[in-house]
Amino acid sequence: VQLQASGGGLVQAGGSLRLSCVASGNILSIKSMGWYRQAPGKQRELVAAFTHVGRTAYADSVKGRFTISRDNAKDTAYLQMNKLSPEDTAVYYCQADHWVGPGPGIVAAWGQGTLVTVSS
């Protein structure tokens, strides 16, 4: 599975952005998919995800502002980000858990990251 993320950019506080993540390869092997972010000097953290059982999960810091969605026909996941604040500045990565085989089992695939910068 390969992931291609896009949609990052510079936005003013209070603005919105929508990130896209296009998956390719063995799409049917994907078990879950989500978005992570890493701010300078901080650890990578989960932002939003579709879980293995098909539910959505969000970090407390983005609940009510961010929405994860997907278009199965386009093999694409989205992250709609509203009411952005400077604290949301980070590199955003899409991630997918996918089944590789009986040996390695489920493996995480990562996109290349897209930078979101929110100015105050």
Side-chain angles (χ1 to χ4, degrees), residues 5-92:
S6 62
L10 174 64
V11 64
Q12 287 188 332
S16 299
L17 279 175
R18 188 178 79 159
L19 306 182
S20 300
C21 177
V22 180
S24 60
N26 190 4
I27 304 300
L28 295 180
S29 69
I30 294 176
K31 303 299 181 184
S32 65
M33 199 163 176
W35 291 93
Y36 287 71
R37 67 185 180 186
Q38 187 165 19
K42 295 187 177 181
Q43 289 188 331
R44 192 171 297 188
E45 63 175 357
L46 174 69
V47 177
F50 291 105
T51 69
H52 287 224
V53 294
R55 296 180 178 175
T56 55
Y58 294 92
D60 287 343
S61 60
V62 307
K63 284 180 180 177
R65 300 188 299 123
F66 291 11
T67 303
I68 189 170
S69 63
R70 58 191 171 190
D71 184 337
N72 291 332
K74 297 181 178 179
D75 297 328
T76 301
Y78 302 97
L79 184 68
Q80 178 66 44
M81 305 185 294
N82 298 328
K83 299 179 182 178
L84 285 162
S85 71
E87 289 71 32
D88 296 314
T89 295
V91 177
Y92 285 70

